[in-house]
Amino acid sequence: MRIDNPIWLWFCLPALLYFGVIAIKTWPASSLLYRTVYGLRVAAVALLIFALTDPALYRAEKQEQIIFLMDRSASMAGLETDMSTTINEAISKKENNQLAGVYTFAEDFQALVPISKDQQPLPVDVGINQNKHTNIAQALELAANSGNKDLATRIVLLTDGNETQGSALESLERLQSERLQVDVFPLKQQAEADAAISRFETPERAFLGEAQAFSVTIQAEAETAARLVFSVNDREFDQKEIFLSAGNNAFSYSYPAEEEGLVKYEARIEVAEDAFLENNELASITDIGGTPEVLVVSGEEQSPIPSMLDTQRINVSEMPAPKLPQNLSSILGYDAIIFDNVPATSLGEQQMKVIEQAVKQFGLGFMMVGGDQSYGLGGYFKTPIEQLLPVEMEVKGKHELPSLGLIIVMDRSGSMAGGKMELAKEAAARSIELLRKDDTVGVIAFDDRPWEIVPTEKLSDPKEATDKILAVTPGGGTEIYKSLEEAYNQLEGLELQRKHIILLTDGQSATTKDYGALIEEGIESNVTLSTVSIGQDADKSLLEGLAESGNGRFYDVTDATTIPAILSRETIMMSRTYIVDEPFYPTVYASKWDPLFAEGVPQMNTYIATTAKGTASVALESEEEDPVLTTWNYGLGKSIAYTSGSGAWSGGFQSWENWPAFWNRSVSELLPAFEEVPFSVTKKAQGVYTVEDPSHLSAILDVTVVDEKGEELPIQIQPIAPGKVEVMLDAEPGLVFFSISNETGAAYKTGLTVPYGDEYRIDEPNMAMLTTIAERTGGTLVDSLEGAFRDIPYESGTKEPIRQQLLLAAMILFFMDITLRRFGLRLPKKPPKKVEEAETVPQTVEQLIKAKKRS
């Protein structure tokens, strides 16, 4: 018998005192009933007090369990085979009463061989985990809570002890157990030849033309020759042949500031023999001040806007849409970006997301100029670009909308599995959202046969249709003709103004039937066809020919993220009359452009119909009350929507004397206007940064962190003092960008390098920590695993709690007490003997006669 909370036994003292006093006073004169009830009550209270002590019946066990905990982090590269072989040899010597299991850990924790009595060999080809952290504390706690906690347990920890996350020594407080012992088998990294850039610094700020001093520190494990390569914004500009001595090597370099804005510099070393490639490069950010930088992005035709801008005050760059950078550091090199008739189908979702974050968090200015491939016609519906613009792509209620029948024929074959399938479904769902309830829509998914996903009928329930589309799964072959034929058959008989099919596939049809006849019959019924080719395996010549014959458009997709924009564009082109092509004189409202129109407003020819957002400010408006020039603030930045064009669409504006001034005024509006305060950002520890206002004028700081892909990173902000916070983030090695603002609207942007983790450094084993772990848990520091299955100096056993049984017994005694006090204690009596009347009466009469004779 064992009890876990003996302190409750102190309640026995007042109970004994109470019942003792009662017994002294009442016991001599008490009845049997009273004494019985008294005994029941004493027993019930005794059972209740004993139940409070959490008693249990203990049963000793002969079994033990030994858990091998193997470090498989990147620093253990090259040792995985040796570790597996050594553990297998140790397991082969275990006794029948011993259980064994193998777990591995890095930043995570995984079971490699479950704890079992059987001998299960460890796979020799155990892979190394490339996680950037080693969490020994978590591994020890999870291993200690694995298996049967009632058995005596020994954990055998195989590691170099160089933890990069958590604290193993702190976790020992939570590992206190009477049955747990930890043996430690120290490992030494096998890699000996390694060179790493441990520090790369560039000036925080510089001015155009200034000579910048770069500082590079390289740590080498041995003497070696190397090449040091420098790049700016992902373009190499110089390289040097260097010689590295064992230890730290410092190099300096000077480079003139040739680009403006936030400029990314990288230093990289190339070594013949190197243990870790992950530690061979570092990046740094320099904010180079100078003339504002404006980027004009053009669509299929070159934009005339650069020729009208004042290049004395601003630097103007031109770029075709497909070459637009995809990383945030390159975009932040500009102060403003202008899209001139750029379709969303020529961009990836990544580029649009980066621009949206640059405007919102870092104050970049953005302007969209209209054209037949811009706004809704360009496929910007529900994209990050629409999010940042002051207008919506949707036209709400003012323009005549033709009746439409649309069928999406979507490839669901096995080759579409993964990202392509998900993007295709998202694209189809986005198209459904653009349609009205009076529109007719159908969705056919095909593999080697057509599958009707959404029946071709009026769109009564968009959500139900969307749910059906999103539930499509890939599988099967590819047969285009049958599905296309089905789509034509469903549309031909419908009385609609526009009938359109969108065919999307990444493969080639299994059969070659007469597509020409099918499409010709469709043209006679006013059915048009557009095709989307995904990837390199699609039959592009067939799809392009189908689109040309079907009076539609052909899209050759190399970036699958453009699929939603393509289907949005197709749907909008068929379902809306977006281009308003009637000359008009725009209405002018108070704005920064107002002074330019003091002597009159030129006539405008054409524009794209949009709808102004609620908080947007309209500067020019059409006669139909559509916005033509609209602005608003989006986060720290500003965006402008000009729905007419830079060329013939602007009509009389092209010959207007203030036409260049109009564009320069627009650029002035786009340039960041917030007060810039150089808040300080310093690294406190790995993943922890201190952000502070050095002027001490801020009370509240708002911090956002964004990576190179435009993804906003989750962070934790801990206020330390007014105008000072600690920011904790977990980011992959590379560049991250801090956007900092205060309650007055002052803002600051900067980029910081998240270096490679300490996992990619060559270090000696942390013997001090490993020794402490072994000593504090009663284990030993071993140099082999031969004694891993020696007897554990602790006893295994199982405890069976009996608290419930005691409470039940006390309850039964309690009810017996109540019953006796209510009904009393009555013992059964023996019935009296009965004398037969016939025998008794004669005997009495005879005695009376005898007595009379004697008298």
Side-chain angles (χ1 to χ4, degrees):
M1 178 72 70
R2 294 191 178 185
I3 55 177
D4 291 336
N5 297 300
I7 193 170
W8 291 103
L9 293 176
W10 285 103
F11 277 91
C12 292
L13 294 179
L16 287 172
L17 180 62
Y18 172 78
F19 285 111
V21 171
I22 296 297
I24 292 170
K25 290 183 177 181
T26 61
W27 192 265
S30 61
S31 65
L32 177 61
L33 172 62
Y34 180 87
R35 295 182 180 184
T36 304
V37 170
Y38 177 88
L40 291 174
R41 195 166 299 179
V42 170
V45 171
L47 289 173
L48 288 174
I49 293 174
F50 195 53
L52 290 174
T53 64
D54 200 10
L57 295 176
Y58 180 80
R59 178 182 299 167
E61 291 279 352
K62 291 184 179 181
Q63 286 188 334
E64 303 173 335
Q65 59 184 7
I66 290 83
I67 299 174
F68 293 93
L69 194 53
M70 186 172 74
D71 187 346
R72 62 184 180 93
S73 60
S75 62
M76 295 290 98
L79 293 174
E80 53 271 29
T81 302
D82 290 342
M83 284 191 286
S84 298
T85 303
T86 303
I87 292 173
N88 278 333
E89 289 176 358
I91 291 177
S92 66
K93 298 177 182 178
K94 80 176 192 68
E95 302 294 336
N96 290 333
N97 67 318
Q98 293 177 321
L99 287 71
V102 182
Y103 292 90
T104 66
F105 71 95
E107 185 177 353
D108 58 353
F109 178 83
Q110 295 181 8
L112 196 59
V113 175
I115 298 174
S116 170
K117 195 173 182 179
D118 301 327
Q119 289 191 13
Q120 300 184 52
L122 178 68
V124 177
D125 56 344
V126 177
I128 285 298
N129 191 311
Q130 294 300 320
N131 287 340
K132 61 182 181 293
H133 289 299
T134 301
N135 195 330
I136 298 175
Q138 173 185 266
L140 283 172
E141 292 184 39
L142 292 176
N145 287 285
S146 302
N148 189 343
K149 295 182 184 179
D150 293 324
L151 300 183
T153 302
R154 174 180 292 122
I155 295 176
V156 183
L157 177 63
L158 295 85
T159 180
D160 61 359
N162 293 316
E163 57 184 349
T164 61
Q165 192 176 67
S167 172
L169 295 182
E170 289 181 9
S171 73
L172 294 181
E173 300 296 330
R174 300 183 289 272
L175 285 176
Q176 297 300 328
S177 171
E178 60 181 11
R179 295 195 178 102
L180 178 65
Q181 182 184 67
V182 180
D183 280 0
V184 178
F185 182 47
L187 297 173
K188 183 177 171 136
Q189 295 178 4
Q190 189 180 54
E192 295 181 357
D194 184 60
I197 298 182
S198 57
R199 187 171 64 90
F200 174 50
E201 292 182 353
T202 63
E204 187 176 335
R205 288 175 173 272
F207 294 96
L208 198 62
E210 178 184 354
Q212 304 169 95
F214 293 178
S215 174
V216 185
T217 302
I218 302 173
Q219 184 179 12
E221 298 299 321
E223 293 184 354
T224 183
R227 181 182 293 114
L228 178 59
V229 182
F230 293 100
S231 63
V232 54
N233 287 340
D234 301 319
R235 302 189 311 274
E236 290 187 11
F237 65 82
D238 199 5
Q239 53 181 267
K240 297 173 62 177
E241 299 295 331
I242 59 176
F243 182 81
L244 300 176
S245 302
N248 286 329
N249 301 262
F251 299 92
S252 59
Y253 185 82
S254 181
Y255 182 71
E258 297 177 343
E259 303 184 32
E260 297 179 16
L262 285 180
V263 178
K264 178 176 75 171
Y265 293 107
E266 284 182 289
R268 186 180 78 252
I269 55 169
E270 298 174 356
V271 186
E273 294 183 6
D274 204 14
F276 300 116
L277 298 178
E278 290 82 1
N279 58 19
N280 284 13
E281 64 180 284
L282 283 179
S284 181
I285 287 286
T286 299
D287 189 359
I288 300 177
T291 310
E293 292 282 340
V294 177
L295 173 65
V296 179
V297 183
S298 55
E300 294 180 356
E301 298 180 1
Q302 189 171 1
S303 172
I305 296 175
S307 63
M308 292 182 279
L309 296 179
D310 183 2
T311 54
Q312 299 297 317
R313 295 190 308 108
I314 56 177
N315 292 330
V316 181
S317 303
E318 298 179 65
M319 185 181 294
K323 293 188 177 180
L324 193 68
Q326 295 192 12
N327 55 61
L328 185 58
S329 59
S330 297
I331 292 296
L332 290 180
Y334 302 100
D335 297 287
I337 295 178
I338 300 173
F339 273 19
D340 187 2
N341 198 25
V342 174
T345 55
S346 64
L347 305 169
E349 194 82 7
Q350 170 77 25
Q351 291 156 305
M352 290 190 274
K353 186 187 300 179
V354 164
I355 292 174
E356 188 266 336
Q357 286 287 358
V359 175
K360 181 180 180 181
Q361 306 295 352
F362 301 97
L364 177 79
F366 181 81
M367 182 177 187
M368 178 173 280
V369 180
D372 59 355
Q373 297 193 63
S374 187
Y375 292 98
L377 291 177
Y380 286 100
F381 177 70
K382 284 211 165 181
T383 64
I385 295 294
E386 183 190 32
Q387 210 172 330
L388 68 89
L389 284 173
V391 295
E392 297 177 10
M393 305 298 132
E394 181 67 287
V395 180
K396 297 183 177 176
K398 292 175 289 188
H399 297 272
E400 180 184 354
L401 303 177
S403 57
L404 171 69
L406 174 69
I407 294 182
I408 299 173
V409 181
M410 181 173 65
D411 191 344
R412 65 168 291 266
S413 62
S415 58
M416 287 286 289
K420 289 189 287 187
M421 188 76 247
E422 295 305 313
L423 286 164
K425 293 191 292 185
E426 179 191 337
R430 194 179 291 185
S431 296
I432 296 292
E433 292 182 49
L434 282 166
L435 298 174
R436 303 156 297 162
K437 288 193 174 181
D438 290 337
D439 289 330
T440 298
V441 65
V443 177
I444 297 173
F446 68 89
D447 41 38
D448 46 15
R449 51 160 288 189
W451 300 86
E452 186 176 70
I453 306 302
V454 178
T456 304
E457 58 189 16
K458 285 191 175 181
L459 185 62
S460 58
D461 189 345
K463 185 179 183 308
E464 182 183 357
T466 299
D467 290 343
K468 289 180 178 179
I469 292 169
L470 296 178
V472 174
T473 56
T478 305
E479 171 49 47
I480 298 174
Y481 184 86
K482 293 179 183 177
S483 303
L484 197 58
E485 182 183 40
E486 179 66 25
Y488 271 105
N489 291 339
Q490 292 183 11
L491 282 178
E492 284 176 351
L494 300 178
E495 296 295 327
L496 298 168
Q497 291 172 289
R498 294 181 182 176
K499 293 180 279 188
H500 191 58
I501 299 171
I502 304 173
L503 170 63
L504 184 149
T505 180
D506 74 336
Q508 302 191 19
S509 184
T511 59
T512 54
K513 295 192 176 180
D514 190 358
Y515 287 98
L518 178 64
I519 293 174
E520 268 187 47
E521 292 178 11
I523 294 291
E524 293 175 3
S525 302
N526 198 31
V527 180
T528 55
L529 169 67
S530 290
T531 58
V532 182
S533 166
I534 307 173
Q536 300 300 317
D537 296 331
D539 192 340
K540 296 179 183 179
S541 58
L542 170 65
L543 296 175
E544 188 173 8
L546 294 179
E548 185 178 350
S549 304
N551 293 339
R553 288 150 297 281
F554 168 69
Y555 300 91
D556 185 6
V557 175
T558 54
D559 181 357
T561 63
T562 62
I563 296 172
I566 290 171
L567 264 67
S568 294
R569 180 171 191 260
E570 281 293 305
T571 305
I572 284 176
M573 290 180 70
M574 300 308 299
S575 63
R576 308 286 193 275
T577 306
Y578 268 83
I579 299 178
V580 181
D581 192 7
E582 296 177 3
F584 67 98
Y585 289 93
T587 303
V588 179
Y589 295 100
S591 69
K592 296 294 180 64
W593 292 269
D594 194 14
L596 301 178
F597 301 104
E599 298 180 4
V601 183
Q603 189 182 56
M604 188 172 283
N605 288 344
T606 312
Y607 68 93
I608 297 286
T610 59
T611 302
K613 292 179 180 176
T615 57
S617 180
V618 178
L620 294 178
E621 189 177 74
S622 73
E623 293 174 348
E624 298 188 24
E625 299 183 348
D626 290 324
V628 175
L629 181 65
T630 315
T631 67
W632 80 339
N633 293 321
Y634 184 73
L636 293 177
K638 180 173 284 188
S639 66
I640 300 174
Y642 178 61
T643 58
S644 187
S646 59
W649 278 28
S650 293
F653 275 68
Q654 291 182 95
S655 56
W656 181 37
E657 60 180 5
N658 286 332
W659 188 227
F662 171 84
W663 291 106
N664 283 289
R665 177 71 263 176
S666 300
V667 169
S668 298
E669 280 296 290
L670 291 176
L671 295 179
F674 53 81
E675 178 190 1
E676 189 168 21
V677 175
F679 297 113
S680 68
V681 183
T682 56
K683 181 180 177 181
K684 181 179 179 181
Q686 186 167 340
V688 182
Y689 298 84
T690 301
V691 180
E692 186 176 9
D693 179 3
S695 67
H696 304 291
L697 298 176
S698 303
I700 301 172
L701 295 181
D702 184 26
V703 182
T704 303
V705 184
V706 182
D707 67 11
E708 276 275 58
K709 297 179 181 178
E711 298 284 352
E712 193 169 321
L713 299 175
I715 60 175
Q716 294 180 355
I717 300 177
Q718 179 68 43
I720 303 299
K724 184 177 181 180
V725 298
E726 275 191 1
V727 178
M728 287 150 281
L729 75 147
D730 185 14
E732 294 296 322
L735 281 177
V736 294
F737 297 87
F738 279 67
S739 171
I740 310 162
S741 59
N742 64 9
E743 71 276 10
T744 66
Y748 179 64
K749 61 184 178 184
T750 188
L752 292 177
T753 300
V754 177
Y756 51 83
D758 293 337
E759 193 64 42
Y760 300 107
R761 299 181 189 275
I762 294 182
D763 288 318
E764 292 296 317
N766 188 346
M767 297 303 298
M769 185 193 74
L770 296 178
T771 302
T772 303
I773 291 175
E775 290 177 350
R776 290 175 59 178
T777 58
T780 58
L781 207 64
V782 299
D783 54 9
S784 71
L785 298 185
E786 290 183 2
F789 288 93
R790 69 186 186 279
D791 289 340
I792 301 176
Y794 304 126
E795 186 182 58
S796 299
T798 58
K799 290 194 301 183
E800 183 180 344
I802 59 172
R803 172 185 283 182
Q804 290 185 352
Q805 290 87 333
L806 294 178
L807 290 174
L808 179 60
M811 188 180 298
I812 293 172
L813 294 177
F814 176 68
F815 280 107
M816 289 175 63
D817 178 358
I818 295 175
T819 303
L820 291 176
R821 285 189 286 111
R822 173 68 180 83
F823 298 104
L825 182 61
R826 297 179 181 177
L827 298 175
K829 296 181 179 180
K830 294 182 179 180
K833 294 182 179 180
K834 294 181 180 180
V835 180
E836 293 183 7
E837 187 175 352
E839 294 179 355
T840 304
V841 172
Q843 183 181 3
T844 305
V845 172
E846 185 179 351
Q847 289 176 349
L848 289 173
I849 293 172
K850 287 181 178 180
K852 188 176 180 183
K853 286 180 178 181
R854 284 195 297 268
S855 60

